[in-house]
Amino acid sequence: LAKTTQPISMDSYEGQEVNITCSHNNIATNDYITWYQQFPSQGPRFIIQGYKTKVTNEVASLFIPADRKSSTLSLPRVSLSDTAVYYCLVGDQGGKLIFGQGTELSVKP
Amino acid sequence: SAVISQKPSRDICQRGTSLTIQCQVDSQVTMMFWYRQQPGQSLTLIATANQGSEATYESGFVIDKFPISRPNLTFSTLTVSNMSPEDSSIYLCSVEKAGDGMNTEAFFGQGTRLTVV
């Protein structure tokens, strides 16, 4: 399973766009890139998943360059409720998930 | 999607005792996963539980300490045996299922917050 590297923490203000980049240099051909969000005292929650190029859903966008060795989660116009830990995971669909350290995002008023 | 219920949600236990955590899923799944999340840390995978076979444990976790049962496709238990304060943690159950579109998503229970005194 490919190891991921993310910033430990990030600060932002309400209304800003937040981009969190994850490095996964050893990503395998069959691996997908998935991001999860975790609030205190809750289990992680799926945000977005992609294989290549760009994926967008109602809450975020995921940008994946052609070499797939990194990915960027983009959160448009964050609010205080987006304060959470964000995890980048790389692996086969349906296989076990290995969590890295995650990025603790703090959104300030 | 999947809805996962974990019991108990929290417990305070005496050292040397054991606690069994239950995980119930609202649909049949092949694999169920058990994680531990120590205070301020990320999630660590303990084991993968398949119905009808012995669980597969990750490095650092052994069956004698964390026995797992998987009697059917919607239920699993994790026991934390002979507890010590170092076992104080949140224990989470997870399954993976197809989500919207082409995604495969992991769904997590709310977790069991264990404090060993």
Side-chain angles (χ1 to χ4, degrees), chain B residues 66-80:
Chain B
F66 298 101
I68 288 171
S69 79
R70 184 78 201 275
N72 57 54
L73 291 173
T74 63
F75 187 79
S76 178
T77 67
L78 169 77
T79 299
V80 186

Side-chain angles (χ1 to χ4, degrees), chain B residues 10-105:
Chain B
R10 58 177 63 225
D11 207 343
I12 300 173
C13 300
Q14 296 290 325
R15 67 180 67 198
T17 63
S18 298
L19 176 72
T20 295
I21 303 167
Q22 299 179 4
C23 179
Q24 179 75 51
V25 190
D26 68 343
S27 56
Q28 294 184 340
V29 292
T30 304
M31 291 189 291
M32 296 179 75
F33 304 90
W34 286 98
Y35 290 85
R36 180 175 73 183
Q37 187 169 29
Q38 294 176 308
Q41 303 296 313
S42 180
L43 287 79
T44 300
L45 181 64
I46 297 172
T48 302
N50 291 322
Q51 194 266 336
S53 63
E54 221 170 71
T56 302
Y57 289 82
E58 298 297 308
S59 175
F61 298 96
V62 295
I63 188 171
D64 290 346
K65 176 67 176 177
F66 298 101
I68 288 171
S69 79
R70 184 78 201 275
N72 57 54
L73 291 173
T74 63
F75 187 79
S76 178
T77 67
L78 169 77
T79 299
V80 186
S81 302
N82 188 25
M83 287 183 285
S84 67
E86 291 71 33
D87 294 319
S88 297
S89 189
I90 297 173
Y91 293 85
L92 296 119
C93 168
S94 172
V95 302
E96 292 188 14
K97 296 203 76 173
D100 296 336
M102 301 294 291
N103 299 322
T104 298
E105 301 178 25

Side-chain angles (χ1 to χ4, degrees), chain A residues 2-7 21-25 35 71 88 100-103:
Chain A
K3 181 181 176 181
T4 60
T5 303
Q6 310 173 227
T21 297
C22 178
S23 297
H24 27 80
N25 291 319
W35 286 79
S71 59
C88 163
Q101 203 165 20
T103 297

